[in-house]
């Protein structure tokens, strides 16, 4: 009898503890259910072993999960699914779309992440920052991202994405930067990309298969960082230059661009300029000598002529920055002929 009473007391204590835990748990039940479904769709990787149905997803013990403690809503607003050891190739779980308060979503450094980007992400109407990088995700960059008006940053670098750049994302009112490096994106840069209302941080689409001419509309942009290197772009890229712009770095290396470099204006904030391996002609702008922050310059393998300006930070660059041009001369190259 005493043994039976003891067992009953233990059960009462256990149930009391479970009830107390349920009452004090901060994690929203719908969010918790969505997270556990995501874990299941991923094949229950050991990286997510801390995601247990018996614990609170908002107590900072769930790997990569953060809840909104500022507003005391305790909805999941930051999900970092990076470095997952997926047991086999898996697509992005559609259940991620069932976390409606997400502000930041990171899916990075997971080679076993495959397949297209699911349309359920359009349900994330509060999403500001989306990072899907260093995976084997395939397919196009979907047009449906234009529906998430809150987006500030899109980073899809180093995946296996293909197809063309979606023109529609230029309608996003808050987007400040796009990073699509290291994919297999082809075709031209859309004319509409000159109508980004807020794109001032970066446009980096290097190491892809972009072709055609750079739209003249891109002159409307005032970008801090431009990297379109290692593509097959042609024609005039002077649209990225301007004395009134705040540009810090321009990398257009290894394309087929051709324009008169001597006629471009230079941002006083310019730190890096890489134009190697193009068909750029004209002279080097005298304004290069006035740039206080310039620490990287490479104009080699072009059709430039004339004397290299002397002064300022230009003296720090050796001949490798200037070699293999049509008739560029002066220190550190051989002297110009009289």
């Amino acid at each position: 009898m005493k043994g039976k009473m003891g067992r009953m007391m233990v059960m009462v204590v256990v149930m009391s503890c479970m009830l107390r835990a349920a009452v004090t748990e901060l994690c929203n039940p719908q969010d918790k259910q969505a997270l556990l479904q995501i874990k299941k769709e991923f094949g229950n990787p050991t990286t997510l072993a801390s995601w247990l149905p018996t614990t609170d997803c908002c107590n900072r013990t769930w790997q990569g999960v953060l809840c909104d403690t500022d507003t005391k809503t305790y909805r999941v607003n930051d999900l970092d699914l990076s470095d997952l050891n997926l047991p086999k190739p898996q697509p992005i779980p559609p259940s991620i779309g069932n976390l409606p308060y997400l502000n930041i979503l990171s899916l990075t450094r997971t080679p076993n992440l495959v397949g297209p980007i699911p349309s359920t992400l359009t349900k994330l109407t509060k999403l500001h920052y989306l990072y899907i990088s260093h995976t084997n995700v395939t397919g196009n960059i979907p047009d449906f991202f234009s529906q998430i008006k809150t987006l500030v940053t899109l980073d899809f670098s180093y995946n296996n994405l293909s197809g063309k750049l979606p023109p529609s994302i230029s309608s996003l009112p808050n987007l400040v930067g796009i990073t699509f490096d290291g994919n297999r994106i082809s075709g031209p840069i859309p004319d509409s990309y000159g109508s980004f209302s807020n794109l001032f941080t970066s446009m980096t689409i290097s190491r892809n298969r972009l072709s055609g001419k750079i739209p003249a509309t891109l002159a409307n942009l005032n970008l801090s960082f431009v990297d379109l290197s290692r593509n097959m772009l042609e024609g005039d890229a002077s649209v990225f230059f301007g004395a009134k712009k705040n540009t810090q770095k321009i990398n257009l290396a290894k394309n087929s661009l051709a324009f008169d470099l001597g006629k471009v204006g230079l941002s006083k904030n310019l730190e890096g300029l890489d134009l190697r391996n193009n068909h750029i002609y004209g002279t080097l702008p005298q304004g290069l000598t006035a740039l206080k922050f310039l620490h990287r310059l490479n104009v080699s393998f072009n059709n430039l002529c004339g004397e290299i300006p002397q002064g300022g930070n230009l003296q720090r660059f050796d001949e490798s920055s200037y070699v293999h041009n049509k008739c560029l001369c002066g220190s550190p190259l051989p002297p110009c002929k009289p």
Side-chain angles (χ1 to χ4, degrees), residues 212-215 231-241 252-264 274-283 299 301-304 325:
K213 294 185 177 180
I214 293 175
N231 280 288
M232 298 177 285
L233 294 164
E234 304 171 3
D236 188 0
S238 63
V239 293
F240 296 117
F241 294 83
L252 304 172
K254 299 191 175 182
N255 281 285
S256 295
L257 300 167
F259 60 96
D260 189 341
L261 186 60
K263 294 182 178 180
V264 303
D274 191 345
L275 304 175
R276 61 198 154 101
N277 295 86
N278 279 287
H279 307 302
I280 298 167
Y281 54 91
T283 60
V299 295
F301 293 90
N302 277 290
N303 294 321
L304 295 167
N325 273 283

Side-chain angles (χ1 to χ4, degrees), residues 191-261:
D191 286 344
S192 64
Y193 280 25
S195 63
F196 278 107
S197 58
N198 247 343
L199 199 70
F200 61 84
T201 301
S202 63
M203 178 185 287
T204 65
I205 320 175
S206 68
R207 298 173 185 269
N208 276 282
R209 301 174 183 178
L210 296 177
S211 59
K213 294 185 177 180
I214 293 175
T217 56
L218 298 192
N220 299 328
L221 303 179
N222 187 358
L223 297 164
S224 295
F225 305 99
V226 179
D227 190 349
L228 299 176
S229 62
R230 298 173 186 265
N231 280 288
M232 298 177 285
L233 294 164
E234 304 171 3
D236 188 0
S238 63
V239 293
F240 296 117
F241 294 83
K244 294 183 179 180
K245 295 192 176 187
N246 298 316
T247 313
Q248 297 174 40
K249 294 180 182 178
I250 299 176
N251 188 348
L252 304 172
K254 299 191 175 182
N255 281 285
S256 295
L257 300 167
F259 60 96
D260 189 341
L261 186 60

